[in-house]
């Protein structure tokens, strides 16, 4: 674990399952989740939101819901269609759409105390756009070896309804101890019962493209936030089993 900030996730929000006091002022916090594709961003963000009573915002998941007409938010149809390659080709979402999604999600009651945001910003240009619209309290960076990422992405099965992620792969090498994450009922999400699916971008060609884009743009974003001493860096070598010490 490498920490470039004095912030603690548990202390970041005074209202959580650890402290149920009623807030007397606006205390909404903004936590960005950065890392290469397949590093566990969605899973860790989901757990953080459960513990800190935050609202989880995943830009790619929200676009997916919008395209399937299953989202609770309203976004301009033209803007949405322009971003379809985000899902199928690993392309970067446009600033306008990402900002619009975040603003809509902030209206939800679950965002009262804070939000985690994944999938944006992915470039320095997007960082500039983000900072013009929202503050940043903490940046969580999950670091995982690239050869591990390829296996976990190909083994990933996702619930498009509630966002939970499962995995069929098992890895025990180079210090990594990653067990399979299987649903109780094969092919069905434990939380909502919806069908589990393979994401359109979870194929070898698109995975390579996403990792390449991350190396070229994502690492620049990470270094920018490190210079501002906002980064909490963590290597989850045991997957979700490493979550308890991560939260401390």
């Amino acid at each position: 674990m490498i920490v470039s900030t004095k912030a603690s996730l548990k202390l970041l929000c005074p209202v959580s399952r650890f402290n149920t006091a009623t807030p007397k002022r606006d205390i909404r916090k903004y936590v960005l989740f950065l890392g290469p594709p397949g590093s566990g961003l969605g899973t860790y963000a989901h757990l953080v939101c459960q513990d800190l009573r935050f609202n989880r915002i995943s830009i790619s998941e929200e676009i997916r819901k919008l395209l399937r007409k299953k989202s609770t938010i309203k976004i301009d149809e033209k803007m949405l269609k322009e971003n379809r390659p985000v899902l199928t080709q690993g392309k970067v979402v446009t600033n306008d759409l990402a900002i619009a999604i975040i603003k809509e999600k902030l209206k939800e009651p679950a965002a009262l105390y804070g939000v985690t945001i994944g999938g944006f910003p992915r470039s320095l240009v997007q960082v500039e756009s983000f900072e013009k619209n929202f503050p940043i309290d903490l940046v969580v960076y999950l670091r995982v070896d690239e050869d591990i990422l390829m296996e976990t992405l190909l083994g990933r099965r996702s619930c498009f309804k509630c966002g939970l992620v499962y995995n069929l792969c098992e890895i025990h090498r180079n210090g990594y101890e990653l067990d399979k994450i299987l649903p109780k009922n094969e092919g069905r999400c434990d939380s909502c019962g919806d069908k589990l699916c393979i994401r359109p971008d979870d194929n070898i060609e698109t995975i390579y493209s996403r990792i390449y884009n991350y190396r070229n743009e994502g690492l620049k974003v990470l270094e920018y936030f490190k210079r501002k001493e906002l980064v909490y860096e963590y290597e989850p070598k045991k997957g979700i089993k490493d979550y308890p010490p991560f939260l401390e």
Side-chain angles (χ1 to χ4, degrees):
M1 178 176 66
I2 303 172
V3 181
S4 305
T5 175
K6 296 180 181 179
S8 161
L9 278 166
K10 278 176 67 172
L11 298 178
L12 187 65
C13 182
V15 178
S16 66
R17 74 176 179 86
F18 307 104
N19 182 352
T20 57
T22 302
K24 296 181 179 180
R25 57 185 176 83
D26 182 11
I27 58 168
R28 179 186 286 161
K29 302 296 182 182
Y30 293 75
V31 180
L32 301 185
F33 270 74
L34 301 182
S39 57
L41 300 175
T43 300
Y44 269 59
H46 178 83
L47 293 170
V48 166
C49 287
Q50 284 185 330
D51 285 334
L52 301 188
R53 298 184 182 179
F54 281 13
N55 197 19
R56 187 171 78 90
I57 303 175
S58 168
I59 301 300
S60 60
E61 281 182 22
E62 207 57 46
I63 295 175
R64 206 172 282 115
K65 289 179 182 178
L66 286 161
L67 290 171
R68 297 172 69 213
K69 308 295 183 184
K70 292 191 175 183
S71 177
T72 57
I73 65 175
K74 303 295 182 182
I75 296 293
D76 179 73
E77 285 292 330
K78 183 179 178 181
M79 188 189 303
L80 187 59
K81 289 179 181 179
E82 291 174 352
N83 281 268
R84 189 178 291 271
V86 172
L87 301 180
T88 59
Q89 302 172 26
K91 302 295 184 180
V92 177
V93 66
T94 63
N95 293 0
D96 290 346
L97 178 58
I99 295 298
I101 288 174
I102 295 170
K103 286 183 176 179
E104 286 296 312
K105 296 291 288 184
L106 287 174
K107 297 176 183 178
E108 297 178 347
L112 177 63
Y113 302 135
V115 292
T116 66
I117 300 170
F120 186 83
R122 290 186 175 179
S123 69
L124 292 178
V125 172
Q126 290 189 339
V127 169
E128 183 179 358
S129 179
F130 187 95
E131 291 185 321
K132 286 179 179 178
N133 289 274
F134 314 107
I136 301 173
D137 295 285
L138 185 68
V139 176
V140 173
Y141 170 58
L142 297 185
R143 175 169 52 88
V144 177
D145 290 350
E146 284 191 8
D147 63 321
I148 302 295
L149 294 174
M150 181 62 70
E151 290 186 48
T152 58
L153 286 169
L154 291 174
R156 183 163 63 179
R157 299 295 181 270
S158 303
C159 175
F160 291 167
K161 183 176 181 180
C162 71
L164 283 183
V165 178
Y166 302 82
N167 211 293
L168 306 182
C169 78
E170 187 171 3
I171 300 173
H172 298 281
R173 68 173 187 276
N174 299 334
Y176 285 89
E177 297 292 333
L178 300 174
D179 296 325
K180 295 179 181 179
I181 305 175
L182 302 175
K184 295 176 182 177
N185 297 310
E186 186 176 353
R188 293 287 173 181
C189 177
D190 293 343
S191 178
C192 67
D194 209 35
K195 183 180 178 180
L196 299 180
C197 302
I198 299 175
R199 285 174 40 167
D201 54 349
D202 280 348
N203 60 77
I204 292 178
E205 182 179 347
T206 305
I207 290 170
Y208 275 125
S209 174
R210 293 166 64 202
I211 291 177
Y212 175 82
N213 288 337
Y214 180 77
R215 284 199 214 110
N216 281 271
E217 296 291 342
L219 292 178
K220 295 176 185 176
V221 173
L222 176 64
E223 290 305 314
Y224 171 81
F225 286 127
K226 280 185 175 181
R227 289 195 296 270
K228 299 186 75 171
E229 298 185 341
L230 286 170
V231 177
Y232 173 52
E233 183 174 342
Y234 194 76
E235 187 175 17
K237 285 197 165 187
K238 297 181 181 179
I240 58 175
K241 291 181 180 179
D242 274 336
Y243 175 72
F246 160 83
L247 193 62
E248 298 296 325

